[in-house]
Amino acid sequence: FIACYCKDVDKSIAVYFTHDGTGLTESTFQELLYKKDAIGLKNIITRLKAVNGTISFTHENNKYTTQINIPYE
């Protein structure tokens, strides 16, 4: 399954992507940031930083969630 939803959280838009497939954990994400071939991931981070956004990864109950927050004020 895959689910995507958005909500307003502390003057930012939070976008959540949840699925039960293979996903990233926060530690794997940190490792990938330093690999030469992780260009797509680095581009996402660069664009989020440009708008003061953040990205995080969690894994619990056999589900992976990616959360992207973008402030609007």
Side-chain angles (χ1 to χ4, degrees), residues 10-21:
D10 298 325
K11 295 189 178 181
S12 71
I13 297 171
V15 181
Y16 300 87
F17 300 95
T18 302
H19 61 90
D20 61 354

Side-chain angles (χ1 to χ4, degrees), residues 2-44:
I2 187 167
C4 176
Y5 64 96
C6 302
K7 67 181 185 178
D8 189 335
V9 178
D10 298 325
K11 295 189 178 181
S12 71
I13 297 171
V15 181
Y16 300 87
F17 300 95
T18 302
H19 61 90
D20 61 354
T22 303
L24 287 177
T25 61
E26 195 67 37
S27 61
T28 304
F29 168 69
Q30 294 299 326
E31 290 174 21
L32 287 173
L33 282 179
Y34 298 102
K35 289 197 174 188
K36 188 176 184 177
D37 58 347
I39 295 170
L41 188 56
K42 290 176 185 176
N43 284 337
I44 292 168

